[in-house]
Amino acid sequence: MPLALLTWLGTYLIRDAARSTDGAMQAVLEERLAVADHQLIHDLREFTDQLDAIAADPGTEPKSIAQALAAHPWVVETWAAAPTGPVELVTNKQTQTPSPDAEAAQRVPSLRAALRYLPENWMMRAIPREQPFAALASDLVAAQDRGRQALWQTSVKIGGYHLQSGTPGTTNLAFPSGWHVTDGDLIYWRRAAGDHLICARLDGGQLLEALFARLPTPTLKVYPGRLTLKTVTGIPLHTWGKGLDGSERPAAAQVICSAPLSQWEFGYTPAFAEFPKPYLFPILLGVGSGSVLVLALAWIFFRENARELRLAQQRVSFVNQISHELKTPLTNIRLYTEMAAHRLEEHGDSAAKRHLGVVEAETARLNRLIQNVLNYARQQRDKLTVQPRQIELDAVIERTVTHWRPLLEGKNFAIEMQLHGPPTMKADADALEQILGNLLSNVDKYAEAGRWVAVRTET
């Protein structure tokens, strides 16, 4: 059992150390991914504020705002849409051909449907926000629903977010702006007076290159492992880090990016050198030392126990031999006492006969004591046996009490017997005599205040 407990303790300590290491590793990795996500969304917020500043300069004419946005080198197409009527394509640099799903005629209805969820207090100027954007309506579905398909998602810029970079990020907050994106297309949108909607489709390659150039955070050291950014559909976008040994494994921690890039996810695979396994040698040494100690103590205990058993057997054997040797002279003493009693009875010397009766009774008592010792010795050797046979119980009881009667009556004990046992029964007469003799011997030894003994048999 001690060895089993030590084995369990060692296993528990090893697993606990592994759990602690894994927990600490997960906390560090999640923090790294959170920092990368914050940096990515923070830079996108700065770019959004730049577009807001461009759109605010020409005034409130929707077409003028769209033309001003087209001056940015990363904008490839702009359009304006009134609350009713067709979408007006303002600028098309024809540097890229959008997918059918990203065309203005497809996106404007979907974008307007999403903006229906825009709250009235969208700016929330008085409340500082940790997130620079808030998601509105999303067509992004869960992985278990459509196999991690990426659809269009709409988000709005939060007015209470503080950039902490000195850049005024609150230019012309009278009209909301934000992003309408999928995993590969990025469309900047802005409301104008009269509920007009101005949109600018970005060159994703140039925008992403600028964003990735600042990942991870410029002030941090390059990570030893591998930091990856991919779409929820599994398309890899970028990879950072030194890529040391161990970083080729699957990502140990993943996190979905914040809005509006919620269709991207960061992952990090640590190198072997970053989070070494717990040093198990002290645990194994402690458990091994404990096992050796338990084995040594068990051997010492077994040795001492065996020695005690040998000594006990020697004592029992000695007592057994002495008891056997004592029975021979006791038999002779009893025999000659009986012979002397018969001769005194013939001569009529009653006093001498009474004295010999005492000697005979004490001899019988000593014989019973020796028999008890022998029985105890046999019991210690697991050789105590019971030999039942057909007996008359009342006769055995009466004979035993008769042997003890002189001694008890000599101490003024009144003996009462009520014998109503079965005519015959199967039992060991010697064992019954010994048991009853032991009880009567206890009366003789310890019942000094008592003056009455009753023995009853019944069926």
Side-chain angles (χ1 to χ4, degrees):
M1 183 178 293
L3 289 176
L5 290 175
L6 282 173
T7 303
W8 172 84
L9 179 61
T11 304
Y12 173 80
L13 291 175
I14 292 173
R15 290 181 177 177
D16 183 68
R19 283 194 299 267
S20 300
T21 302
D22 291 342
M25 180 187 71
Q26 286 295 325
V28 172
L29 298 186
E30 290 174 2
E31 178 66 22
R32 289 181 180 177
L33 296 179
V35 169
D37 175 62
H38 175 77
Q39 181 66 44
L40 181 65
I41 302 302
H42 180 84
D43 291 342
L44 183 62
R45 172 57 185 263
E46 286 190 333
F47 177 63
T48 306
D49 287 340
Q50 293 175 15
L51 295 180
D52 285 345
I54 294 174
D57 290 339
T60 58
E61 180 65 30
K63 189 173 180 179
S64 301
I65 296 175
Q67 291 174 346
L69 289 173
H72 196 284
W74 296 350
V75 176
V76 297
E77 187 179 56
T78 62
W79 61 82
T84 59
V87 178
E88 181 182 0
L89 182 64
V90 178
T91 304
N92 186 358
K93 297 181 181 180
Q94 297 184 352
T95 57
Q96 290 184 354
T97 301
S99 62
D101 192 48
E103 292 180 351
Q106 295 288 332
R107 288 298 95 216
V108 169
S110 177
L111 181 56
R112 283 196 178 279
L115 292 180
R116 288 201 304 265
Y117 299 97
L118 184 65
E120 295 297 331
N121 59 340
W122 65 274
M123 288 188 298
M124 295 171 280
R125 296 171 182 266
I127 305 175
R129 293 284 172 173
E130 296 181 0
Q131 294 296 332
F133 299 94
L136 296 178
S138 174
D139 295 326
L140 181 66
V141 294
Q144 62 269 25
D145 295 332
R146 296 190 185 178
R148 296 181 71 83
Q149 296 180 12
L151 301 180
W152 290 90
Q153 183 179 25
T154 305
S155 59
V156 61
K157 185 181 78 171
I158 299 297
Y161 178 77
H162 300 297
L163 292 173
Q164 301 176 355
S165 61
T167 303
T170 57
T171 304
N172 194 9
L173 288 177
F175 299 102
S177 63
W179 292 90
H180 187 61
V181 301
T182 183
D183 59 352
D185 294 290
L186 298 96
I187 297 175
Y188 166 82
W189 63 267
R190 180 180 180 84
R191 270 185 178 173
D195 200 24
H196 282 74
L197 189 63
I198 297 96
C199 297
R201 191 165 61 85
L202 276 295
D203 181 351
Q206 297 186 60
L207 174 59
L208 298 185
E209 183 179 356
L211 294 176
F212 296 162
R214 289 172 52 79
L215 281 177
T217 305
T219 57
L220 297 178
K221 294 182 180 179
V222 179
Y223 297 142
R226 181 168 56 95
L227 179 65
T228 59
L229 179 63
K230 63 180 181 179
T231 66
V232 293
T233 57
I235 300 175
L237 299 175
H238 203 71
T239 302
W240 303 267
K242 295 180 179 180
L244 301 180
D245 290 342
S247 58
E248 67 280 356
R249 298 169 296 164
Q254 294 177 328
V255 63
I256 298 294
C257 295
S258 302
L261 304 178
S262 303
Q263 299 179 77
W264 296 356
E265 63 180 8
F266 279 108
Y268 187 81
T269 304
F272 290 135
E274 287 188 84
F275 301 97
K277 292 297 182 182
Y279 194 47
L280 302 181
F281 179 74
I283 297 177
L284 296 178
L285 178 62
V287 174
S289 302
S291 301
V292 173
L293 178 61
V294 168
L295 291 175
L297 292 176
W299 179 79
I300 294 174
F301 175 78
F302 176 79
R303 178 182 175 185
E304 292 298 317
N305 187 55
R307 186 175 68 86
E308 292 294 332
L309 287 177
R310 287 196 301 271
L311 291 177
Q313 291 175 355
Q314 292 174 1
R315 295 190 189 101
V316 170
S317 178
F318 173 76
V319 171
N320 192 25
Q321 293 176 4
I322 293 299
S323 300
H324 275 290
E325 295 297 329
L326 290 176
K327 286 180 69 68
T328 300
L330 279 176
T331 303
N332 292 332
I333 292 173
R334 186 172 182 180
L335 174 62
Y336 282 100
T337 301
E338 292 176 354
M339 293 173 59
H342 285 299
R343 294 187 63 181
L344 291 174
E345 185 177 359
E346 294 176 356
H347 291 81
D349 191 347
S350 59
K353 181 181 178 181
R354 186 170 61 254
H355 295 163
L356 286 176
V358 174
V359 174
E360 184 178 0
E362 292 298 320
T363 303
R365 179 183 177 187
L366 183 57
N367 185 65
R368 287 192 296 274
L369 292 175
I370 294 174
Q371 187 63 39
N372 286 342
V373 173
L374 291 175
N375 289 337
Y376 174 76
R378 286 196 293 269
Q379 183 178 3
Q380 292 298 102
R381 299 197 307 271
D382 295 329
K383 294 182 179 179
L384 182 63
T385 58
V386 177
Q387 298 177 352
R389 61 183 183 277
Q390 292 294 333
I391 64 169
E392 184 180 349
L393 177 63
D394 291 347
V396 174
I397 300 301
E398 185 176 7
R399 182 170 63 250
T400 304
V401 174
T402 300
H403 289 163
W404 284 87
R405 184 182 294 277
L407 180 62
L408 296 177
E409 289 181 347
K411 294 186 176 181
N412 298 323
F413 276 97
I415 301 176
E416 176 185 344
M417 287 194 298
Q418 299 178 11
L419 304 180
H420 304 291
T424 59
M425 64 178 292
K426 198 170 185 180
D428 189 332
D430 293 336
L432 291 176
E433 288 186 10
Q434 181 181 349
I435 293 171
L436 183 56
N438 287 341
L439 294 175
L440 295 175
S441 175
N442 289 340
V443 173
D444 175 33
K445 295 176 183 177
Y446 308 115
E448 296 180 359
R451 288 295 179 263
W452 175 76
V453 177
V455 180
R456 183 177 72 247
T457 62
E458 61 183 22
T459 302

